[in-house]
Coordinates of all heavy atoms in Angstrom, one line a residue:
M1 N 190.0 26.4 -62.3 CA 189.9 27.9 -62.2 C 191.2 28.6 -61.7 O 191.2 29.8 -61.6 CB 188.8 28.3 -61.3 CG 187.4 27.8 -61.7 SD 186.9 28.5 -63.3 CE 186.9 30.2 -63.0
A7 N 188.7 37.5 -58.4 CA 187.8 36.8 -57.4 C 187.0 35.6 -58.0 O 186.6 34.7 -57.3 CB 186.8 37.8 -56.8
I8 N 186.9 35.7 -59.3 CA 186.1 34.6 -60.0 C 186.8 33.2 -59.8 O 186.1 32.2 -59.8 CB 185.9 34.9 -61.4 CG1 184.8 33.9 -62.0 CG2 187.2 34.8 -62.2 CD1 184.4 34.2 -63.4
A9 N 188.1 33.2 -59.6 CA 188.8 32.0 -59.4 C 188.3 31.2 -58.2 O 188.4 30.0 -58.2 CB 190.3 32.3 -59.3
W10 N 187.8 31.9 -57.2 CA 187.3 31.1 -56.0 C 185.8 31.3 -55.9 O 185.1 30.4 -55.3 CB 188.0 31.6 -54.7 CG 187.7 33.0 -54.4 CD1 188.5 34.1 -54.7 CD2 186.6 33.5 -53.5 NE1 187.9 35.2 -54.2 CE2 186.8 34.9 -53.4 CE3 185.5 32.9 -52.9 CZ2 185.9 35.7 -52.8 CZ3 184.7 33.7 -52.2 CH2 184.9 35.1 -52.1
R11 N 185.2 32.3 -56.4 CA 183.8 32.5 -56.3 C 183.0 31.5 -57.2 O 182.0 31.0 -56.7 CB 183.4 34.0 -56.8 CG 183.8 35.0 -55.8 CD 183.3 36.4 -56.2 NE 183.8 37.5 -55.3 CZ 183.2 37.8 -54.2 NH1 182.1 37.2 -53.9 NH2 183.7 38.8 -53.5
L12 N 183.4 31.3 -58.4 CA 182.7 30.4 -59.2 C 182.7 28.9 -58.7 O 181.7 28.3 -58.7 CB 183.3 30.4 -60.6 CG 182.6 29.5 -61.7 CD1 181.1 29.9 -61.8 CD2 183.3 29.6 -63.1
P13 N 183.9 28.4 -58.3 CA 183.8 27.0 -57.7 C 182.9 26.9 -56.5 O 182.2 25.9 -56.3 CB 185.3 26.7 -57.3 CG 186.1 27.6 -58.2 CD 185.3 28.8 -58.4
V14 N 182.9 27.9 -55.6 CA 182.1 27.9 -54.4 C 180.6 28.0 -54.8 O 179.7 27.3 -54.4 CB 182.5 29.0 -53.4 CG1 181.5 29.1 -52.3 CG2 183.8 28.7 -52.9
G15 N 180.3 29.0 -55.7 CA 178.9 29.2 -56.1 C 178.4 28.1 -57.0 O 177.2 27.8 -56.9
F16 N 179.2 27.4 -57.7 CA 178.7 26.3 -58.6 C 178.1 25.2 -57.8 O 177.3 24.4 -58.3 CB 179.9 25.8 -59.4 CG 179.5 24.7 -60.4 CD1 178.8 25.1 -61.6 CD2 179.8 23.4 -60.2 CE1 178.5 24.1 -62.5 CE2 179.5 22.5 -61.2 CZ 178.8 22.8 -62.3
Q17 N 178.6 25.0 -56.6 CA 178.0 23.9 -55.7 C 176.6 24.1 -55.4 O 175.9 23.2 -55.0 CB 178.9 23.8 -54.4 CG 180.3 23.5 -54.7 CD 181.1 23.5 -53.4 OE1 180.9 22.6 -52.5 NE2 182.0 24.5 -53.3
I18 N 176.1 25.4 -55.6 CA 174.6 25.6 -55.3 C 173.7 24.8 -56.2 O 172.7 24.4 -55.8 CB 174.3 27.1 -55.4 CG1 175.1 27.9 -54.4 CG2 172.9 27.4 -55.3 CD1 175.0 29.4 -54.6
I19 N 174.2 24.5 -57.4 CA 173.4 23.8 -58.4 C 173.1 22.4 -57.8 O 172.0 21.9 -57.9 CB 174.2 23.6 -59.7 CG1 174.4 25.0 -60.3 CG2 173.5 22.7 -60.7 CD1 175.2 25.0 -61.6
F20 N 174.1 21.7 -57.2 CA 173.9 20.4 -56.7 C 173.0 20.5 -55.4 O 172.2 19.5 -55.2 CB 175.2 19.7 -56.3 CG 176.2 19.6 -57.5 CD1 177.2 20.5 -57.7 CD2 176.0 18.6 -58.4 CE1 178.0 20.4 -58.8 CE2 176.8 18.5 -59.5 CZ 177.8 19.4 -59.7
T21 N 173.1 21.6 -54.7 CA 172.2 21.7 -53.5 C 170.7 21.8 -54.0 O 169.9 21.1 -53.4 CB 172.5 23.1 -52.8 OG1 173.9 23.0 -52.4 CG2 171.6 23.2 -51.6
F22 N 170.4 22.5 -55.0 CA 169.1 22.6 -55.5 C 168.6 21.2 -56.1 O 167.4 20.9 -56.0 CB 168.9 23.7 -56.6 CG 168.9 25.0 -56.0 CD1 169.9 26.0 -56.2 CD2 167.8 25.4 -55.3 CE1 169.8 27.2 -55.7 CE2 167.7 26.7 -54.7 CZ 168.7 27.6 -54.9

Side-chain angles (χ1 to χ4, degrees):
M1 296 300 298
I8 193 174
W10 64 269
R11 289 184 184 275
L12 181 59
V14 173
F16 185 74
Q17 299 176 66
I18 298 176
I19 297 176
F20 301 101
T21 303
F22 283 113

